[in-house]
């Protein structure tokens, strides 16, 4: 007997070991599959980063060559460069020629307009907005030719004196390749959107040497409300790091701007910073209205689109004739403002003029970004406010240059609704992390005061409003609602005894508007159900009135629901069997009928909840 027990134990142990090995093999396979999947996606994001980084290098060189040839060699205009950038070639000896500078932006607009409207009309304007639109409404799809056209057209616009930023073109280069790669791999719309957004983060993060901010920006800029797209952050982070490293290997490491070691020490300084935030909000309102005002006027002019950027360029040249510092990029003037080298009138004219030249250059259909000009406008206004308060209260505001850094962050927040990524952007661009406290205050106030407008008109308010998430929210909201929440819509109905004759039912039927009839036994417990459709064919047949009882007509395979069931499951039951009404029974006893729930009322209740959520948001 002992041997039998021992054999039984050994057999049981052996069986458990075999089961363990089987489970382990499955777990090992699952781990292998997960590792393979992670490796595959990482490879995709690295590849996007490589292309975005190479695109940044190429576009950066095109811009430097264009500025040297058009502005320096032809017009004799040599704007200063920020500390992190240097001239590609030694400056020429061409004397300054304001007349030629007046016509150069129109020439660039003419070439850019012809190129864009002939080959890729969607490449007009600022590219980040086009990427946002593609994410929400086009399944992340961007035509393959768009990044190429955008690169050349933007280089022509910006290096002939047009005011704009580099982030729009490079965002479309990265986004376009991410979209193209997803398309040739036949990935889903959701996966294409993620890869496209990763390209945006990589492009922006590399060209401004701010990889963390680039990843956060790609996830935050999609919405007006303070929301992030969580599934975008990690992919964009991988791509952004790769693109940043590649760009810096070619162009040198370090931040775009050189900043003194500004340190926030005096809480009383928050008062002037609060004033700065209000000034930035007003300036942001002016920027957005001027920008979209030019777009509206441009669309109203009845001439071919190809020529509209040239008209915008002519207006840009007119402003630049009197204020040449407002042309092209202008980052060098921000660098000078950080070091407190510019006067208050110069800074104010720089900010106001930059609003006008950017609106004319990009709003008329030219190609470029809006983040770069925002950095200049915000920095100039911050410098002006800082210098004014330094003159009024030099013991409190000791470093006007600190207001330049905070002004850059606050202004772009006011026009883009991206407070978190913008704070990180400016910190990385200036290599200054000691101003996070005043930056947080100014960006928070600017964001709250300026939520009604944005420079990115393709932003949606929140995920609820995004067509890309319509299906997700449909399921999520339905799963959050239980049948018990709709008990006021559950209707009491007449029940049919199972032994009622067909003749008695025929007399009962004309007096009711019911379409579904629960059948109960002698204890009033639900045992079956039938619909008016089930009995329509024999309803007026003679001779069966007392031969058939309703228990013979009913189906006993009842599809029902309970108060604890969610509406997603309820709608699936409606759809699978194509029925319009379900019996609602008690959770603890499916024989006790509470009432009937109609499909139309479930859908109506869902629509009401969606509308309430939209109104609250």
């Amino acid at each position: 007997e002992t041997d039998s027990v021992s054999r039984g134990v050994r057999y049981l142990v052996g069986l458990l070991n075999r089961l363990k090995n089987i489970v382990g093999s499955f777990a090992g396979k699952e781990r292998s599959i997960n590792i393979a999947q992670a490796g595959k996606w990482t490879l995709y994001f690295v590849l996007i980063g490589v292309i975005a980084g190479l695109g940044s290098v190429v576009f950066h060189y095109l811009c430097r060559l264009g500025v040297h040839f058009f502005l320096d060699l032809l017009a004799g205009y040599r704007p200063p460069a920020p500390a992190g950038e240097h001239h590609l070639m030694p400056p020429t000896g061409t004397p300054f020629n304001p007349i030629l500078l007046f016509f150069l932006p129109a020439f660039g607009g003419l070439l850019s307009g012809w190129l864009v409207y002939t080959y890729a009309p969607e490449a007009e304007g600022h590219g980040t907005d086009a990427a946002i639109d593609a994410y929400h409404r086009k399944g992340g799809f961007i035509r393959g030719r768009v990044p190429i056209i955008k690169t050349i057209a933007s280089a022509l616009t910006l290096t002939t004196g047009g005011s704009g930023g580099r982030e729009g073109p490079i965002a479309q280069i990265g986004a376009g390749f991410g979209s193209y790669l997803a398309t040739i791999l036949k990935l889903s719309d959701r996966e294409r959107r993620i890869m496209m957004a990763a390209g945006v983060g990589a492009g922006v993060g590399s060209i401004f040497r701010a990889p963390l901010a680039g990843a956060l920006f790609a996830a935050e800029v999609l919405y007006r409300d303070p929301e992030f797209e969580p599934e975008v952050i990690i992919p964009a982070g991988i791509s952004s790091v790769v693109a940043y490293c590649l760009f810096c290997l070619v162009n040198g490491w370090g931040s775009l701007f050189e900043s003194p070691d500004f340190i926030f020490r005096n809480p009383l300084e928050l008062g002037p910073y609060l004033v700065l935030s209000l000034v930035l909000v007003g300036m942001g309102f002016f920027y957005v209205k001027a920008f979209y005002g030019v777009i509206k006027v441009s669309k109203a002019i009845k001439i071919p689109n190809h020529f509209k950027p040239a008209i915008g360029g002519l207006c840009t040249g007119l402003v630049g004739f009197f204020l040449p510092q407002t042309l092209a990029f202008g980052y060098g003037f921000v660098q000078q403002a950080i070091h407190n080298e510019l006067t208050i009138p110069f800074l104010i004219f720089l900010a106001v003029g930059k609003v006008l030249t950017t609106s004319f250059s990009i709003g008329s259909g030219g190609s470029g970004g809006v983040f770069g000009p925002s950095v200049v406008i915000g920095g100039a206004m911050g410098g002006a406010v800082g210098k004014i308060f330094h003159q009024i209260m030099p013991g409190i505001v000791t470093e006007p240059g600190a207001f330049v850094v905070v002004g850059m962050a606050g202004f772009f927040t006011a026009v883009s609704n991206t407070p978190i990524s913008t704070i990180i952007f400016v910190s990385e661009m200036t290599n200054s992390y000691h101003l996070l406290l005043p930056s947080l205050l100014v960006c928070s106030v600017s964001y709250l005061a300026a939520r009604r407008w944005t420079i990115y008109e393709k932003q949606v308010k929140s995920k609820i409003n995004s067509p890309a998430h319509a299906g997700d929210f449909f399921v999520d909201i339905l799963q959050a609602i239980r049948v018990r929440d709709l008990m006021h819509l559950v209707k009491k109905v007449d029940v049919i005894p199972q032994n009622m004759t067909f003749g008695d039912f025929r007399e009962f039927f004309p007096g009711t508007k019911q379409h579904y009839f629960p059948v109960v036994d002698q204890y009033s417990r639900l045992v079956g159900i039938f619909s008016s459709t089930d009995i329509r064919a024999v309803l007026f047949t003679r001779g069966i009135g007392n031969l058939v009882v309703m228990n013979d007509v009913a189906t006993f395979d009842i599809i029902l629901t309970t108060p604890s069931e969610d509406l997603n499951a309820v709608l699936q039951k409606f759809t699978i069997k194509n029925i319009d009404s379900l019996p609602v029974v008690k959770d603890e006893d499916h024989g006790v009928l509470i009432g009937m729930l109609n499909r139309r009322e479930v859908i109506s209740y869902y629509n009401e909840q969606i509308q309430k959520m939209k109104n609250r948001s």
Side-chain angles (χ1 to χ4, degrees):
E1 185 177 349
T2 303
D3 291 341
S4 299
V5 171
S6 298
R7 284 196 301 273
V9 170
R10 285 197 299 271
Y11 175 78
L12 182 59
V13 171
L15 180 62
L16 289 174
N17 284 332
R18 284 196 294 274
L19 286 173
K20 180 181 177 182
N21 290 334
I22 292 171
V23 172
S25 66
F26 278 117
K29 288 179 181 178
E30 185 176 351
R31 282 195 297 271
S32 299
I33 291 171
N34 289 338
I35 291 171
Q37 284 285 98
K40 179 185 73 173
W41 282 105
T42 301
L43 178 62
Y44 293 162
F45 300 136
V46 168
L47 189 57
I48 292 170
V50 169
I51 298 300
L54 290 174
S56 296
V57 170
V58 171
F59 184 67
H60 187 58
Y61 268 90
L62 284 176
C63 289
R64 292 166 77 182
L65 282 172
V67 167
H68 176 80
F69 178 75
F70 291 115
L71 296 184
D72 186 355
L73 184 62
L74 295 182
Y77 176 55
R78 302 171 190 88
E85 294 182 358
H86 306 284
H87 294 292
L88 189 62
M89 288 175 279
T92 67
T94 306
F96 179 61
N97 187 342
I99 299 298
L100 195 56
L101 198 62
F102 173 74
F103 289 104
L104 263 180
F107 173 70
L110 186 64
L111 294 179
S112 172
W114 173 82
L115 186 65
V116 166
Y117 289 106
T118 300
Y119 296 103
E122 63 267 45
E124 69 161 332
H126 50 121
T128 308
D129 218 25
I132 295 171
D133 187 48
Y135 186 92
H136 290 303
R137 301 173 182 88
K138 299 177 181 177
F141 181 76
I142 296 175
R143 283 204 298 169
R145 69 173 67 178
V146 170
I148 300 172
I149 300 300
K150 187 73 176 177
T151 300
I152 300 172
S154 298
L156 288 170
T157 299
L158 301 177
T159 61
T160 54
S163 177
R166 298 180 298 206
E167 83 291 341
I170 194 58
Q172 275 203 329
I173 292 173
F177 179 74
S179 175
Y180 173 75
L181 182 61
T183 300
I184 62 174
L185 293 173
K186 298 181 179 179
L187 301 180
S188 67
D189 285 355
R190 172 181 170 273
E191 292 164 334
R192 188 191 295 112
R193 287 197 301 267
I194 292 173
M195 294 176 73
M196 187 212 74
V200 172
V204 175
S206 61
I207 202 75
F208 286 108
R209 307 186 191 194
L212 174 58
L216 294 176
F217 178 76
E220 188 180 22
V221 75
L222 300 169
Y223 303 104
R224 292 192 184 191
D225 280 356
E227 283 199 46
F228 283 89
E229 191 65 73
E231 60 187 10
V232 164
I233 296 177
I234 298 301
I238 295 172
S239 299
S240 184
V241 166
V242 173
Y244 165 77
C245 291
L246 191 58
F247 182 83
C248 289
L249 281 172
V250 177
N251 294 286
W253 301 89
S255 56
L256 180 62
F257 298 105
E258 181 185 85
S259 175
D261 193 18
F262 296 127
I263 297 177
F264 176 78
R265 293 190 180 94
N266 191 346
L268 294 177
E269 200 174 4
L270 292 177
Y273 277 121
L274 189 60
V275 174
L276 171 63
S277 64
L278 299 178
V279 171
L280 295 175
V281 168
M283 198 66 182
F285 177 79
F286 172 50
Y287 184 33
V288 173
K289 294 303 178 182
F291 187 84
Y292 284 106
V294 171
I295 290 177
K296 185 177 180 180
V297 171
S298 178
K299 289 180 178 179
I301 298 175
K302 303 300 181 182
I303 61 172
N305 288 333
H306 301 66
F307 301 106
K308 292 179 180 178
I311 296 175
L314 203 61
C315 296
T316 299
L318 179 62
V319 178
F321 182 82
F322 298 100
L323 300 171
Q325 67 268 29
T326 63
L327 300 179
F329 301 107
Y331 301 135
F333 296 111
V334 176
Q335 182 67 74
Q336 292 179 345
I338 291 175
H339 289 298
N340 198 22
E341 297 172 0
L342 301 177
T343 65
I344 293 174
F346 185 95
L347 290 168
I348 293 175
F349 280 120
L350 173 62
V352 175
K354 198 70 176 170
V355 169
L356 298 177
T357 54
T358 305
S359 301
F360 290 137
S361 298
I362 312 302
S364 62
S367 189
V370 293
F371 174 73
S374 299
V375 167
V376 179
I377 298 166
M381 289 306 299
V385 172
K387 289 179 77 70
I388 290 172
F389 276 106
H390 179 65
Q391 293 178 2
I392 297 173
M393 46 184 70
I396 295 176
V397 179
T398 57
E399 296 284 357
F403 279 68
V404 177
V405 176
V406 176
M408 288 191 281
F411 181 78
F412 190 64
T413 295
V415 299
S416 69
N417 297 311
T418 56
I420 305 302
S421 59
T422 301
I423 292 173
I424 306 301
F425 244 130
V426 173
S427 297
E428 288 189 289
M429 287 169 60
T430 60
N431 197 28
S432 176
Y433 297 90
H434 297 295
L435 297 175
L436 289 176
L437 182 68
S439 293
L440 183 59
L441 172 69
V442 172
C443 288
S444 298
V445 174
S446 299
Y447 172 77
L448 291 173
R451 290 183 64 183
R452 293 179 57 187
W453 59 82
T454 174
I455 202 72
Y456 297 120
E457 65 172 358
K458 299 301 182 181
Q459 283 178 332
V460 298
K461 188 169 178 56
S462 64
K463 289 183 181 178
I464 297 175
N465 307 93
S466 172
H469 290 288
D472 302 340
F473 273 94
F474 180 81
V475 174
D476 290 345
I477 294 171
L478 287 176
Q479 288 179 339
I481 302 173
R482 304 289 168 178
V483 172
R484 69 171 65 93
D485 299 323
L486 282 76
M487 292 305 290
H488 61 288
L489 299 176
V490 175
K491 290 187 171 67
K492 297 290 185 181
V493 293
D494 293 323
V495 296
I496 305 300
Q498 62 180 359
N499 57 359
M500 175 186 280
T501 64
F502 193 78
D504 291 340
F505 178 78
R506 193 158 49 198
E507 293 179 4
F508 162 80
F509 184 72
T512 182
K513 294 182 179 180
Q514 283 180 222
H515 295 288
Y516 290 84
F517 301 90
V519 176
V520 298
D521 60 15
Q522 65 269 30
Y523 303 108
S524 297
R525 294 180 59 80
L526 181 68
V527 294
I529 194 170
F530 64 91
S531 69
S532 56
T533 304
D534 297 333
I535 51 115
R536 183 175 290 120
V538 294
L539 188 59
F540 299 105
T541 303
R542 297 181 178 275
I544 64 169
N546 295 318
L547 297 178
V548 176
V549 295
M550 300 318 295
N551 195 56
D552 301 327
V553 176
T555 178
F556 303 104
D557 184 18
I558 310 174
I559 301 173
L560 46 77
T561 185
T562 63
S564 63
E565 194 165 41
D566 65 70
L567 292 199
N568 186 49
V570 170
L571 275 183
Q572 286 181 357
K573 292 178 179 180
F574 280 135
T575 304
I576 291 171
K577 294 296 184 179
N578 193 26
I579 54 180
D580 295 318
S581 191
L582 284 178
V584 181
V585 297
K586 287 189 174 181
D587 283 296
E588 63 275 12
D589 188 351
H590 289 187
V592 180
L593 177 70
I594 300 174
M596 299 292 290
L597 182 62
N598 295 328
R599 172 158 57 178
R600 181 181 299 176
E601 290 172 340
V602 170
I603 295 173
S604 176
Y605 184 84
Y606 166 77
N607 290 331
E608 288 176 7
Q609 299 308 304
I610 289 290
Q611 192 58 48
K612 287 180 181 178
M613 292 181 70
K614 287 184 177 180
N615 292 339
R616 284 198 298 269
S617 64

